[in-house]
Amino acid sequence: MQKYSVFNLIKNAFNNHEGWEVAWKDPAPKNEYDVIIIGGGGHGLATAYYLAKEHNIRKVAIIEKGWIGGGNVGRNTTIIRSNYMHDENALFSEFGMNLWRSMSQELNFNIMFSPRGIINLAHSDAQMNAYSRRGNSMRLNGIDAVLLDRDQVKKIIPMADFSENVRFPIFGGLMQPSAGTARHDGVAWGYARQADSMGVDIIQNCEVTGFDVVAGKIKGIRTSKGNIKANKVGLCVAGSTSILAEKLNMTLPIETHLLQACVSEPVKPILDHVVTFGAGHFYCSQSDKGEMVMGGDLDGYNSYAQRGNLPTLQHVLTEGIAMMPFLSKLKMLRTWGGIMDMSMDGSPIIDKTHIEGLYLNCGWCYGGFKATPASGWTFAHTIAQDRVHELNAGYSLNRFNTGHLLDEKGLGTKTWIS
Amino acid sequence: MLHIKCPHCGLRSQNEFAYGGDASVKRPELNKEVSDKEWNHFVYLRKSLRGKHLELWHHISGCRQWIKVQRDTATHEIFKTFKASEEI
Ligand SMILES: Cc1cc2nc3c(=O)[nH]c(=O)nc-3n(C[C@H](O)[C@H](O)[C@H](O)COP(=O)(O)OP(=O)(O)OC[C@H]3O[C@@H](n4cnc5c(N)ncnc54)[C@H](O)[C@@H]3O)c2cc1C
Ligand SMILES: [Zn+2]
């Protein structure tokens, strides 16, 4: 594989950049693979990469119905963090933070990881107490957390609304300084390029339409480009999980809902961090291009529409303006939506299933982008070894049966409620 | 914007309603021994259909009645609405 470096950039400049190799090939599917990964989003691509790199399993295919990166991996607002209270979530996410820190070097692709820090604003004494508890739990797990009072927040984000008579005054906030953002497309492309170079077949425009299961064992898949055999199949289809589960006669503890995001026109640098509103659901960061990147609540009802509805966007931006009034002066540039696999306790599932050789990766809710490397790493382990790693042991499918939920937000079974 | 025809009040905008989820889920019978599996089914497992979906909505800023709505989850077309007690 051709290395991306400043020397190669200069070298290729002399022949009008016509000497670059393709970043990944476009092969036709073979008849059989050791492992098939369904879904060419961040998680599928990362899984294939770690299967090849960590477990030396290279007869692997990624089957993607559209193009890689066209799903949620290319639609999210790129927030990366590990500010969780429960051990399972904290340790899994912090393991991922370490992979993020070295990802650009490891993939030889600039994913523009920007650990700019995240601040969750608090708007009451009770919320400050809850944040201090969460911050302490994080620190016990070796994750950086700083509790900020009102004056400290004011120094960092002076353009937030600090006036006296506001409905939701800012009491302070919880900051994870090492959290941040990254370039989402770059993550998909970086994993794809490296996986391809180790022999993984990336097969695009190929929809999985069914499965061959014989005597409780997976034998292969059916696709729009024909049948393909494999004794191990991993599902990484995010918002489409329930559709494929139905073909396997499985009913899962997830519902598909729509999440929107939007960006404003670009402006000069004003916001250095990721900031979230604590009295509702709104978050914001500024992209390198200067756009304010914003998002918040789900549309609020089951949806596979992949495009949003205006009332939710209006509601979310009202929260944004309450938090930072200057946002009302900006023009909206773009809005879009992605279909989200909302699990019933807000935590994901990375597990084996009752079908031998069939593995499940889903339930990512609002936060699957940040999980991309850790999810790929643990899912590859689960598939290669046919047993879960201790990092994803808490993300079992059976936890709903036994009551061992990971309800980080205390939202109960309706994680889609606003 | 969805427009939902409340069987009690008529056509109203989505803003007046709160969503209540899949209406086809049946609670296990009262006063009967319930296994973990049945309970798991009732509380957590959902078909999450793409296409025609029967769901509960609460006309919370209107008559405050729960209603059933049959809606397409891919196109948002609403086919029919029912009173909570009505079967389709
Ligand atoms: C608006 C928005 C904002 C978000 N913001 C954040 C954030 O700030 N931070 C964060 O951590 N997370 C965020 N997320 C969540 C995150 O994007 C997702 O959880 C994550 O991307 C899901 O994993 P993925 O990348 O593998 O999914 P996807 O990229 O959706 O990959 C799934 C792939 O499966 C393919 N597929 C589906 N069905 C089939 C089939 N039958 N056959 C073949 N292929 C199929 C799809 O085409 C798709 O490419 C956000 C999501 C959205 C929509
Ligand atoms: Zn009504």
Side-chain angles (χ1 to χ4, degrees):
Chain A
M1 187 183 54
Q2 204 174 20
K3 200 166 164 17
Y4 290 164
S5 68
V6 71
F7 302 107
N8 269 330
L9 191 65
I10 294 166
K11 207 174 96 190
N12 277 285
F14 288 109
N15 57 1
N16 290 324
H17 292 290
E18 280 167 11
W20 292 105
E21 289 171 6
V22 293
W24 53 85
K25 297 175 282 293
D26 190 19
K30 299 191 182 83
N31 288 332
E32 189 171 356
Y33 290 94
D34 290 342
V35 179
I36 291 173
I37 302 296
I38 306 175
H43 294 220
L45 293 161
T47 303
Y49 167 76
Y50 291 112
L51 275 172
K53 180 174 167 265
E54 301 287 336
H55 305 279
N56 204 25
I57 300 177
R58 293 170 184 227
K59 249 187 107 185
V60 176
I62 295 170
I63 310 292
E64 165 57 49
K65 79 171 172 198
W67 63 94
I68 58 166
N72 288 349
V73 70
R75 294 165 188 259
N76 65 77
T77 43
T78 80
I79 301 167
I80 294 165
R81 57 189 176 85
S82 58
N83 52 359
Y84 285 101
M85 191 169 83
H86 289 310
D87 288 350
E88 291 87 345
N89 289 331
L91 296 173
F92 178 87
S93 307
E94 187 56 17
F95 176 79
M97 291 304 292
N98 282 322
L99 295 174
W100 280 110
R101 288 177 193 121
S102 56
M103 195 184 288
S104 287
Q105 285 72 31
E106 180 168 346
L107 299 182
N108 178 229
F109 201 106
N110 186 3
I111 58 131
M112 295 165 71
F113 179 52
S114 162
R116 57 183 70 183
I118 187 168
I119 301 167
N120 303 133
L121 294 180
H123 308 275
S124 65
D125 280 329
Q127 209 167 15
M128 283 299 277
N129 287 343
Y131 280 177
S132 96
R133 180 174 179 225
R134 174 146 63 95
N136 283 328
S137 305
M138 287 165 62
R139 291 171 74 130
L140 286 172
N141 277 322
I143 300 165
D144 56 328
V146 187
L147 195 66
L148 306 171
D149 64 23
R150 180 176 161 95
D151 289 336
Q152 288 168 309
V153 174
K154 197 170 177 177
K155 278 207 192 87
I156 302 176
I157 35 173
M159 61 290 188
D161 195 348
F162 286 94
S163 50
E164 288 304 321
N165 288 317
V166 291
R167 174 68 182 82
F168 300 109
I170 295 170
F171 275 57
L174 181 65
M175 181 171 185
Q176 184 189 4
S178 68
T181 59
R183 184 181 180 207
H184 47 14
D185 305 309
V187 175
W189 298 336
Y191 275 122
R193 178 167 157 266
Q194 290 291 344
D196 173 271
S197 80
M198 289 188 285
V200 172
D201 280 357
I202 298 174
I203 295 155
Q204 305 183 70
N205 299 309
C206 180
E207 181 170 0
V208 174
T209 53
F211 298 86
D212 288 315
V213 180
V214 182
K217 291 183 192 167
I218 193 98
K219 291 291 168 200
I221 60 168
R222 297 177 199 163
T223 79
S224 54
K225 292 187 177 177
N227 296 353
I228 311 173
K229 282 187 235 157
N231 289 328
K232 290 189 174 188
V233 174
L235 238 64
C236 289
V237 292
S240 303
T241 306
S242 298
I243 299 174
L244 286 184
E246 195 196 347
K247 298 184 195 297
L248 290 155
N249 290 321
M250 286 170 77
T251 312
L252 297 173
I254 56 175
E255 274 183 21
T256 291
H257 284 253
L258 188 109
L259 182 66
Q260 300 191 62
C262 60
V263 292
S264 74
E265 60 185 324
V267 289
K268 290 261 167 66
I270 178 164
L271 185 63
D272 299 332
H273 303 81
V274 181
V275 185
T276 73
F277 185 55
H281 197 175
F282 171 83
Y283 54 84
C284 186
S285 66
Q286 191 170 17
S287 75
D288 294 326
K289 286 179 282 185
E291 304 151 331
M292 305 304 289
V293 182
M294 301 172 279
D297 280 322
L298 299 170
D299 271 18
Y301 40 87
N302 292 42
S303 175
Y304 284 94
Q306 257 191 357
R307 64 188 143 69
N309 227 333
L310 201 54
T312 305
L313 203 58
Q314 248 172 351
H315 174 76
V316 166
L317 291 172
T318 309
E319 295 176 50
I321 291 164
M323 181 174 102
M324 294 193 292
F326 83 93
L327 291 175
S328 71
K329 300 276 190 289
L330 301 182
K331 291 193 184 70
M332 187 87 77
L333 205 63
R334 273 177 292 131
T335 79
W336 65 91
I339 53 170
M340 315 265 288
D341 37 338
M342 300 301 294
S343 72
M344 290 286 157
D345 62 357
S347 297
I349 297 159
I350 308 178
D351 203 357
K352 299 166 60 168
T353 64
H354 71 284
I355 299 170
E356 199 181 316
L358 183 82
Y359 304 87
L360 190 61
N361 179 319
C362 65
W364 290 102
C365 300
Y366 302 94
F369 177 66
K370 68 166 182 299
T372 305
S375 163
W377 196 95
T378 53
F379 198 41
H381 180 280
T382 304
I383 294 172
Q385 314 274 328
D386 194 39
R387 63 186 161 85
V388 296
H389 189 271
E390 62 179 24
L391 281 168
N392 63 314
Y395 294 158
S396 75
L397 181 55
N398 197 37
R399 70 177 184 270
F400 299 92
N401 217 353
T402 60
H404 292 91
L405 302 191
L406 273 172
D407 191 357
E408 186 81 28
K409 289 206 167 155
L411 285 174
T413 57
K414 297 190 168 45
T415 45
W416 37 265
I417 269 185
S418 315
Chain B
M1 173 81 76
L2 302 182
H3 291 100
I4 301 172
K5 191 173 157 207
C6 172
H8 309 281
C9 314
L11 199 65
R12 299 298 175 90
S13 85
Q14 160 195 345
N15 293 344
E16 294 188 9
F17 295 85
Y19 184 60
D22 190 337
S24 70
V25 179
K26 288 260 181 306
R27 194 187 196 287
E29 260 179 62
L30 280 177
N31 306 324
K32 213 194 94 195
E33 192 64 30
V34 180
S35 68
D36 286 352
K37 204 175 154 202
E38 283 173 291
W39 197 244
N40 182 28
H41 250 273
F42 166 60
V43 181
Y44 300 115
L45 303 191
R46 295 291 178 270
K47 291 214 171 74
S48 189
L49 299 174
R50 186 182 197 277
K52 258 188 197 171
H53 189 240
L54 189 68
E55 53 202 25
L56 290 166
W57 288 78
H58 189 188
H59 196 186
I60 194 155
S61 304
C63 63
R64 301 190 65 82
Q65 296 289 317
W66 283 93
I67 62 168
K68 285 183 196 160
V69 176
Q70 193 181 43
R71 182 180 61 93
D72 190 309
T73 57
T75 64
H76 298 328
E77 182 183 351
I78 293 174
F79 304 103
K80 221 166 175 262
T81 56
F82 310 84
K83 292 179 184 163
S85 56
E86 275 176 317
E87 293 296 327
I88 52 167

